[in-house]
Amino acid sequence: MLQWAGLGSDAAQTMNPSTVGTSPSCMDDYDPASLLPEQATERIQSAVQPVSGFEKIHLRAALDRVLARDIHSRIDVPSHTNSAMDGYALHANTLPDDGTRDLEVVGTSWAGHVFPGPVAAGACVRIMTGAVMPEGTDTVVMQEHVEQTPGGIRIDARHKAGQNVRHAGEDIGAGDTVLRAGHRLIPADLGLLASVGTNEVKVTRRVRVAFFSTGDELRSIGDPLEPGMIYDSNRYTLYGMLTRLGVELIDLGVVADTREDTLRAFEQGAACADVLITSGGVSVGEADFVKEALEQLGQIDFWKVAMKPGRPLAFGKINDAYFFGLPGNPVSVMVTFYLFVQPALRTLQGERCTPPLLLDARCRSNLRKKPGRTEYQRGMLYRDADGQLAVDKTGPQGSGILTSMADANCFIVLPLEAETAEAGSLVQVLPFSEIV
Ligand code: AMP
Ligand code: MG
């Protein structure tokens, strides 16, 4: 199971909600019902099942898609034993033990043009990188190590039997498993599959994700901004994060803060998608209808997660669709998406994931936090003048301050019970390159 939210901070700790936030210094935030981030991850991951269904697509269309079946090679790669160098192919018995030896050059083996051998002992063949080793040869002397003579070449005694030769099947043998089901294809895989002659692959079908923003205060870009209104940015960050995952998007726009509109949007989203994601309206204020709508239409798990940003989070199901109700604050949307929604979408797509790599870095800022919650502050990771990994926070860390995300290249993961991270101390960072 994928386990990464809060990893490296408190992952090893027994996950007992009653242990969360018991410090007297944070009684204002203490909520015994809060889940640890890793508990929320575990609950989500144990609830989601990979979608069934796959499609057969051309190799070039398969980048970033998830393999639905193992892929085996029908051929050896390389398919023939060949030269790793431009030089001269000969039999190892021809190599002198000491001194030098003159050899006749009886022909040339080009990449793609096989020399019709055999090559007798005492003779050699000019050979190019990638060309088939002619019959009777097993060793290549690189061209820089020979001396030209009127009748051929002169070699000395520095060479080893079998050198500079690439053997048939040394990369992949016929029948080997090249890639496994559940693997998301990267550019190297496209080359790998091409090298075994595979031009079509079976990949899992795209997961369909519908999403909408809630809030009477939200305006679309292009519209005038009346007093008290803000532009809807969450749908754009969601669009970006979802696009990176290769899912099919259904943008349901902005939904007003009314019971009727929220219910209608829920029904619409759940009917057309595998996953419905909302932002905002998930607290328990008077204009927050997400929880109520979910209770009315589906099964709800509503959580406070002991983390910042991103405390309120709803997860549940409406008929067959999974539901994620993310908080409204722009940074909270991104943090909760990366920690909870993204791993779930990967699982739904049939991907086998490895947890992201956390790094230790020297903190260059004084970081304040409250104990009783894991904090995901935004940072810039770099190498300092001594070549050591260092991290600075990216300005004010309020959950509405999206520039803290835009300027960042990592999360600084501050563990549950920590109160501060002083400048100079070691902290754990989660580079965005590991998750986005
Ligand atoms: P809510 O969770 O709905 O109470 O929203 C929390 C905060 O996030 C409020 O300040 C909202 O105005 C803001 N917010 C909610 N949705 C969006 C959005 N789509 N784009 C930008 N800010 C938002
Ligand atoms: Mg709202």
Side-chain angles (χ1 to χ4, degrees):
M1 173 177 306
L2 188 72
Q3 267 252 333
W4 61 335
L7 244 194
S9 50
D10 308 290
Q13 148 176 352
T14 331
M15 294 189 288
N16 174 0
S18 63
T19 65
V20 174
T22 48
S23 160
S25 62
C26 67
M27 288 311 280
D28 54 336
D29 254 16
Y30 172 59
D31 183 341
S34 285
L35 293 183
L36 298 174
E38 40 284 49
Q39 286 176 305
T41 302
E42 198 170 283
R43 289 209 194 172
I44 293 167
Q45 287 297 327
S46 54
V48 294
Q49 296 296 325
V51 292
S52 55
F54 63 86
E55 47 181 320
K56 206 170 172 181
I57 59 174
H58 190 267
L59 189 54
R60 277 180 195 260
L63 186 63
D64 288 333
R65 299 294 298 271
V66 177
L67 283 178
R69 302 281 183 277
D70 290 354
I71 296 196
H72 307 283
S73 176
R74 280 192 292 270
I75 59 169
D76 279 338
V77 179
S79 56
H80 51 267
T81 298
N82 67 91
S83 176
M85 294 283 177
D86 290 337
Y88 295 85
L90 44 80
H91 194 278
N93 294 342
T94 307
L95 294 171
D97 291 332
D98 47 38
T100 61
R101 184 162 185 188
D102 288 353
L103 305 176
E104 185 191 352
V105 180
V106 296
T108 302
S109 183
W110 306 89
H113 303 278
V114 181
F115 176 78
V119 178
C124 67
V125 164
R126 175 91 173 104
I127 194 163
M128 306 305 162
T129 305
V132 175
M133 292 293 287
E135 193 187 328
T137 68
D138 61 5
T139 300
V140 171
V141 174
M142 62 194 284
Q143 62 190 19
E144 291 82 353
H145 290 171
V146 308
E147 199 183 309
Q148 300 294 328
T149 62
I153 57 164
R154 180 168 299 147
I155 57 173
D156 58 23
R158 72 178 106 166
H159 306 290
K160 290 196 172 55
Q163 70 182 17
N164 300 327
V165 173
R166 304 188 287 216
H167 292 277
E170 76 173 21
D171 187 359
I172 300 162
D176 284 357
T177 305
V178 183
L179 291 170
R180 295 203 177 276
H183 179 73
R184 187 180 288 267
L185 294 170
I186 61 172
D189 300 326
L190 301 192
L192 196 61
L193 293 173
S195 77
V196 299
T198 299
N199 61 358
E200 274 194 331
V201 288
K202 286 178 183 162
V203 296
T204 57
R205 77 161 170 85
R206 286 188 196 277
V207 172
R208 279 187 296 275
V209 181
F211 60 107
F212 63 84
S213 297
T214 68
D216 285 350
E217 75 280 30
L218 301 178
R219 289 290 173 271
S220 296
I221 43 181
D223 289 349
L225 213 52
E226 304 95 344
M229 304 298 169
I230 59 170
Y231 287 123
D232 172 10
S233 59
N234 289 344
R235 262 186 320 129
Y236 290 85
T237 44
L238 280 171
Y239 165 85
M241 295 187 292
L242 289 167
T243 299
R244 283 263 168 100
L245 285 175
V247 299
E248 212 176 289
L249 299 184
I250 305 157
D251 184 346
L252 298 177
V254 174
V255 172
D257 286 325
T258 70
R259 185 171 291 111
E260 300 67 40
D261 287 322
T262 311
L263 280 171
R264 199 175 317 118
F266 265 73
E267 281 170 336
Q268 195 188 345
C272 67
D274 301 301
V275 177
L276 176 61
I277 302 173
T278 63
S279 74
V282 79
S283 308
V284 283
E286 280 171 22
D288 296 327
F289 294 104
V290 166
K291 186 173 177 233
E292 202 181 308
L294 191 58
E295 267 163 356
Q296 191 167 329
L297 298 174
Q299 300 86 49
I300 180 179
D301 258 326
F302 177 73
W303 305 324
K304 283 184 181 158
V305 184
M307 63 186 283
K308 190 183 177 220
R311 199 154 65 121
L313 179 76
F315 172 68
K317 269 195 114 174
I318 308 163
N319 302 324
D320 290 333
Y322 296 99
F323 173 80
F324 290 91
L326 307 184
N329 274 308
V331 180
S332 308
V333 167
M334 298 197 74
V335 173
T336 50
F337 183 93
Y338 284 136
L339 289 180
F340 306 119
V341 186
Q342 188 190 66
L345 289 176
R346 288 184 186 277
T347 301
L348 278 166
Q349 286 179 123
E351 186 177 355
R352 275 182 294 102
C353 303
T354 45
L357 191 65
L358 285 136
L359 303 174
D360 293 324
R362 192 70 61 193
C363 189
R364 294 294 173 213
S365 318
N366 282 313
L367 305 179
R368 307 264 151 253
K369 80 176 273 290
K370 286 188 179 173
R373 65 195 187 194
T374 305
E375 291 199 13
Y376 300 85
Q377 301 203 9
R378 280 73 67 203
M380 175 57 76
L381 180 67
Y382 60 98
R383 274 195 192 279
D384 63 17
D386 301 328
Q388 303 299 312
L389 285 180
V391 66
D392 276 328
K393 71 169 179 176
T394 53
Q397 295 286 311
S399 18
I401 299 183
L402 202 47
T403 47
S404 71
M405 270 309 285
D407 292 342
N409 65 3
C410 68
F411 287 127
I412 306 169
V413 185
L414 298 174
L416 191 75
E417 289 308 341
E419 283 187 55
T420 55
E422 301 298 336
S425 62
L426 273 183
V427 289
Q428 286 209 308
V429 302
L430 174 54
F432 289 168
S433 55
E434 286 292 305
I435 50 171
V436 299

